[in-house]
Short mmCIF file of all heavy atoms in Angstrom, two decimals:
data_model
loop_
_atom_site.label_atom_id
_atom_site.label_comp_id
_atom_site.label_asym_id
_atom_site.label_seq_id
_atom_site.Cartn_x
_atom_site.Cartn_y
_atom_site.Cartn_z
N ARG A 1 191.88 -36.51 -24.38
CA ARG A 1 192.24 -35.95 -23.09
C ARG A 1 191.74 -34.50 -23.04
O ARG A 1 191.94 -33.75 -23.98
CB ARG A 1 193.76 -35.94 -22.88
CG ARG A 1 194.42 -37.29 -23.01
CD ARG A 1 194.46 -38.12 -21.79
NE ARG A 1 195.28 -37.58 -20.74
CZ ARG A 1 195.15 -37.96 -19.47
NH1 ARG A 1 194.26 -38.84 -19.14
NH2 ARG A 1 195.92 -37.46 -18.54
N ILE A 2 191.10 -34.15 -21.94
CA ILE A 2 190.63 -32.77 -21.80
C ILE A 2 191.09 -32.19 -20.47
O ILE A 2 191.43 -32.93 -19.54
CB ILE A 2 189.09 -32.67 -21.91
CG1 ILE A 2 188.41 -33.44 -20.79
CG2 ILE A 2 188.60 -33.13 -23.27
CD1 ILE A 2 186.93 -33.15 -20.67
N SER A 3 191.10 -30.87 -20.41
CA SER A 3 191.46 -30.16 -19.19
C SER A 3 190.28 -29.30 -18.76
O SER A 3 189.77 -28.50 -19.54
CB SER A 3 192.68 -29.29 -19.43
OG SER A 3 192.98 -28.52 -18.29
N LEU A 4 189.85 -29.48 -17.52
CA LEU A 4 188.75 -28.70 -16.95
C LEU A 4 189.24 -28.12 -15.63
O LEU A 4 188.78 -28.47 -14.56
CB LEU A 4 187.52 -29.58 -16.72
CG LEU A 4 186.90 -30.24 -17.94
CD1 LEU A 4 185.80 -31.20 -17.53
CD2 LEU A 4 186.36 -29.19 -18.90
N ASN A 5 190.22 -27.22 -15.72
CA ASN A 5 190.91 -26.75 -14.52
C ASN A 5 190.33 -25.47 -13.90
O ASN A 5 190.99 -24.84 -13.09
CB ASN A 5 192.40 -26.58 -14.80
CG ASN A 5 192.66 -25.68 -16.00
OD1 ASN A 5 191.74 -25.09 -16.55
ND2 ASN A 5 193.91 -25.58 -16.40
N SER A 6 189.12 -25.10 -14.29
CA SER A 6 188.47 -23.95 -13.64
C SER A 6 186.95 -24.18 -13.65
O SER A 6 186.43 -24.94 -14.45
CB SER A 6 188.81 -22.64 -14.35
OG SER A 6 188.14 -22.56 -15.59
N ILE A 7 186.28 -23.47 -12.76
CA ILE A 7 184.83 -23.59 -12.67
C ILE A 7 184.17 -23.14 -13.97
O ILE A 7 183.24 -23.77 -14.46
CB ILE A 7 184.29 -22.78 -11.46
CG1 ILE A 7 184.77 -23.42 -10.16
CG2 ILE A 7 182.78 -22.69 -11.48
CD1 ILE A 7 184.50 -22.59 -8.93
N ASP A 8 184.68 -22.05 -14.55
CA ASP A 8 184.12 -21.56 -15.81
C ASP A 8 184.27 -22.56 -16.94
O ASP A 8 183.38 -22.72 -17.76
CB ASP A 8 184.76 -20.22 -16.20
CG ASP A 8 184.35 -19.10 -15.25
OD1 ASP A 8 183.26 -19.19 -14.65
OD2 ASP A 8 185.13 -18.14 -15.11
N LYS A 9 185.43 -23.25 -16.98
CA LYS A 9 185.64 -24.27 -18.02
C LYS A 9 184.68 -25.43 -17.84
O LYS A 9 184.17 -25.97 -18.82
CB LYS A 9 187.09 -24.76 -18.02
CG LYS A 9 188.05 -23.82 -18.71
CD LYS A 9 189.44 -24.39 -18.73
CE LYS A 9 189.69 -25.06 -20.05
NZ LYS A 9 191.11 -25.43 -20.23
N VAL A 10 184.42 -25.83 -16.61
CA VAL A 10 183.48 -26.93 -16.35
C VAL A 10 182.09 -26.55 -16.82
O VAL A 10 181.43 -27.31 -17.52
CB VAL A 10 183.48 -27.32 -14.85
CG1 VAL A 10 182.35 -28.30 -14.56
CG2 VAL A 10 184.82 -27.92 -14.45
N LYS A 11 181.65 -25.34 -16.48
CA LYS A 11 180.31 -24.89 -16.89
C LYS A 11 180.20 -24.82 -18.42
O LYS A 11 179.21 -25.28 -18.99
CB LYS A 11 179.99 -23.54 -16.27
CG LYS A 11 179.71 -23.63 -14.77
CD LYS A 11 179.06 -22.38 -14.25
CE LYS A 11 180.04 -21.24 -14.14
NZ LYS A 11 179.52 -20.06 -13.43
N ALA A 12 181.22 -24.27 -19.07
CA ALA A 12 181.20 -24.17 -20.53
C ALA A 12 181.22 -25.55 -21.17
O ALA A 12 180.50 -25.81 -22.16
CB ALA A 12 182.40 -23.35 -21.01
N PHE A 13 181.99 -26.48 -20.61
CA PHE A 13 182.07 -27.85 -21.13
C PHE A 13 180.72 -28.55 -21.04
O PHE A 13 180.24 -29.14 -22.01
CB PHE A 13 183.14 -28.65 -20.37
CG PHE A 13 183.19 -30.09 -20.74
CD1 PHE A 13 183.79 -30.51 -21.91
CD2 PHE A 13 182.60 -31.05 -19.92
CE1 PHE A 13 183.81 -31.85 -22.26
CE2 PHE A 13 182.62 -32.39 -20.27
CZ PHE A 13 183.23 -32.78 -21.44
N VAL A 14 180.07 -28.47 -19.88
CA VAL A 14 178.77 -29.11 -19.70
C VAL A 14 177.74 -28.51 -20.65
O VAL A 14 176.93 -29.23 -21.24
CB VAL A 14 178.30 -29.03 -18.22
CG1 VAL A 14 176.87 -29.50 -18.07
CG2 VAL A 14 179.22 -29.85 -17.34
N ASN A 15 177.78 -27.19 -20.84
CA ASN A 15 176.87 -26.55 -21.78
C ASN A 15 177.06 -27.08 -23.20
O ASN A 15 176.09 -27.26 -23.93
CB ASN A 15 177.05 -25.03 -21.77
CG ASN A 15 176.44 -24.38 -20.56
OD1 ASN A 15 175.54 -24.94 -19.93
ND2 ASN A 15 176.93 -23.21 -20.21
N GLU A 16 178.30 -27.33 -23.60
CA GLU A 16 178.56 -27.85 -24.95
C GLU A 16 178.11 -29.30 -25.11
O GLU A 16 177.46 -29.65 -26.08
CB GLU A 16 180.05 -27.72 -25.31
CG GLU A 16 180.49 -26.31 -25.62
CD GLU A 16 179.75 -25.69 -26.79
OE1 GLU A 16 179.45 -26.39 -27.78
OE2 GLU A 16 179.47 -24.49 -26.71
N VAL A 17 178.48 -30.18 -24.16
CA VAL A 17 178.15 -31.60 -24.34
C VAL A 17 176.66 -31.88 -24.23
O VAL A 17 176.17 -32.82 -24.84
CB VAL A 17 178.96 -32.54 -23.39
CG1 VAL A 17 180.43 -32.48 -23.69
CG2 VAL A 17 178.67 -32.26 -21.94
N THR A 18 175.93 -31.05 -23.49
CA THR A 18 174.49 -31.29 -23.38
C THR A 18 173.75 -30.96 -24.67
O THR A 18 172.61 -31.37 -24.84
CB THR A 18 173.87 -30.50 -22.21
OG1 THR A 18 174.19 -29.12 -22.35
CG2 THR A 18 174.34 -31.02 -20.88
N LYS A 19 174.39 -30.26 -25.59
CA LYS A 19 173.77 -29.94 -26.88
C LYS A 19 173.71 -31.16 -27.81
O LYS A 19 172.97 -31.16 -28.78
CB LYS A 19 174.55 -28.82 -27.58
CG LYS A 19 174.48 -27.49 -26.87
CD LYS A 19 175.35 -26.46 -27.54
CE LYS A 19 175.36 -25.16 -26.77
NZ LYS A 19 176.29 -24.18 -27.36
N PHE A 20 174.51 -32.17 -27.50
CA PHE A 20 174.59 -33.35 -28.37
C PHE A 20 173.76 -34.50 -27.81
O PHE A 20 173.72 -34.72 -26.60
CB PHE A 20 176.05 -33.81 -28.53
CG PHE A 20 176.90 -32.84 -29.27
CD1 PHE A 20 177.76 -31.98 -28.61
CD2 PHE A 20 176.86 -32.78 -30.67
CE1 PHE A 20 178.55 -31.08 -29.30
CE2 PHE A 20 177.63 -31.88 -31.37
CZ PHE A 20 178.48 -31.03 -30.68
N ASP A 21 173.13 -35.24 -28.72
CA ASP A 21 172.38 -36.43 -28.34
C ASP A 21 173.33 -37.62 -28.39
O ASP A 21 173.25 -38.46 -29.30
CB ASP A 21 171.19 -36.64 -29.28
CG ASP A 21 170.32 -37.79 -28.85
OD1 ASP A 21 170.28 -38.08 -27.63
OD2 ASP A 21 169.70 -38.42 -29.71
N ALA A 22 174.26 -37.64 -27.45
CA ALA A 22 175.28 -38.69 -27.40
C ALA A 22 175.64 -38.92 -25.94
O ALA A 22 175.35 -38.10 -25.08
CB ALA A 22 176.51 -38.28 -28.20
N GLU A 23 176.28 -40.05 -25.69
CA GLU A 23 176.74 -40.37 -24.35
C GLU A 23 178.21 -39.95 -24.22
O GLU A 23 179.03 -40.21 -25.10
CB GLU A 23 176.63 -41.87 -24.08
CG GLU A 23 175.20 -42.38 -24.08
CD GLU A 23 174.38 -41.84 -22.92
OE1 GLU A 23 174.92 -41.72 -21.81
OE2 GLU A 23 173.21 -41.50 -23.15
N PHE A 24 178.53 -39.28 -23.12
CA PHE A 24 179.89 -38.86 -22.83
C PHE A 24 180.25 -39.32 -21.42
O PHE A 24 179.48 -39.10 -20.49
CB PHE A 24 180.00 -37.33 -22.85
CG PHE A 24 179.69 -36.69 -24.18
CD1 PHE A 24 178.40 -36.31 -24.49
CD2 PHE A 24 180.69 -36.48 -25.11
CE1 PHE A 24 178.10 -35.71 -25.71
CE2 PHE A 24 180.41 -35.88 -26.32
CZ PHE A 24 179.12 -35.50 -26.62
N ASP A 25 181.42 -39.94 -21.27
CA ASP A 25 181.91 -40.35 -19.96
C ASP A 25 183.24 -39.68 -19.70
O ASP A 25 184.07 -39.55 -20.61
CB ASP A 25 182.13 -41.87 -19.89
CG ASP A 25 180.84 -42.66 -19.97
OD1 ASP A 25 179.82 -42.16 -19.47
OD2 ASP A 25 180.87 -43.76 -20.52
N LEU A 26 183.46 -39.25 -18.46
CA LEU A 26 184.77 -38.76 -18.04
C LEU A 26 185.40 -39.83 -17.16
O LEU A 26 184.75 -40.37 -16.26
CB LEU A 26 184.63 -37.45 -17.26
CG LEU A 26 184.25 -36.24 -18.09
CD1 LEU A 26 183.97 -35.04 -17.20
CD2 LEU A 26 185.34 -35.90 -19.09
N VAL A 27 186.66 -40.14 -17.45
CA VAL A 27 187.37 -41.20 -16.74
C VAL A 27 188.59 -40.61 -16.05
O VAL A 27 189.45 -40.01 -16.70
CB VAL A 27 187.80 -42.32 -17.70
CG1 VAL A 27 188.50 -43.43 -16.94
CG2 VAL A 27 186.62 -42.86 -18.48
N SER A 28 188.64 -40.76 -14.74
CA SER A 28 189.78 -40.30 -13.96
C SER A 28 190.16 -41.43 -13.02
O SER A 28 189.44 -41.71 -12.05
CB SER A 28 189.42 -39.04 -13.17
OG SER A 28 190.51 -38.61 -12.39
N GLY A 29 191.26 -42.10 -13.34
CA GLY A 29 191.64 -43.28 -12.55
C GLY A 29 190.60 -44.36 -12.71
O GLY A 29 190.26 -44.75 -13.82
N ARG A 30 190.04 -44.81 -11.60
CA ARG A 30 189.01 -45.86 -11.66
C ARG A 30 187.60 -45.30 -11.65
O ARG A 30 186.62 -46.05 -11.65
CB ARG A 30 189.19 -46.84 -10.51
CG ARG A 30 189.02 -46.20 -9.17
CD ARG A 30 189.27 -47.17 -8.05
NE ARG A 30 188.95 -46.49 -6.80
CZ ARG A 30 188.78 -47.08 -5.66
NH1 ARG A 30 188.92 -48.37 -5.59
NH2 ARG A 30 188.48 -46.41 -4.59
N TYR A 31 187.47 -43.97 -11.62
CA TYR A 31 186.16 -43.34 -11.58
C TYR A 31 185.67 -43.01 -12.99
O TYR A 31 186.40 -42.44 -13.79
CB TYR A 31 186.19 -42.06 -10.75
CG TYR A 31 186.57 -42.31 -9.31
CD1 TYR A 31 187.85 -42.03 -8.87
CD2 TYR A 31 185.65 -42.86 -8.42
CE1 TYR A 31 188.22 -42.28 -7.55
CE2 TYR A 31 186.00 -43.11 -7.11
CZ TYR A 31 187.29 -42.83 -6.68
OH TYR A 31 187.64 -43.09 -5.39
N VAL A 32 184.41 -43.35 -13.26
CA VAL A 32 183.77 -43.03 -14.54
C VAL A 32 182.47 -42.31 -14.20
O VAL A 32 181.63 -42.85 -13.48
CB VAL A 32 183.47 -44.30 -15.36
CG1 VAL A 32 182.77 -43.95 -16.66
CG2 VAL A 32 184.74 -45.09 -15.63
N ILE A 33 182.33 -41.09 -14.73
CA ILE A 33 181.11 -40.34 -14.45
C ILE A 33 180.53 -39.80 -15.76
O ILE A 33 181.23 -39.69 -16.77
CB ILE A 33 181.36 -39.18 -13.44
CG1 ILE A 33 182.39 -38.19 -13.96
CG2 ILE A 33 181.79 -39.70 -12.10
CD1 ILE A 33 181.78 -36.90 -14.32
#
């Protein structure tokens, strides 16, 4: 479970996950992105 409750946290999160050669999905209810 993660919290991305600010614009700065979202930007920092995306910067971190793009460094990895792996697939990441975020699931909120029935939405998967």
Side-chain angles (χ1 to χ4, degrees):
R1 303 274 294 161
I2 62 168
S3 176
L4 299 173
N5 54 6
S6 73
I7 293 171
D8 291 334
K9 281 183 97 170
V10 171
K11 287 195 285 189
F13 174 78
V14 171
N15 284 337
E16 286 300 323
V17 296
T18 54
K19 294 175 184 176
F20 293 101
D21 185 28
E23 295 293 321
F24 298 90
D25 293 327
L26 288 173
V27 181
S28 178
R30 62 183 186 165
Y31 299 102
V32 178
I33 60 109

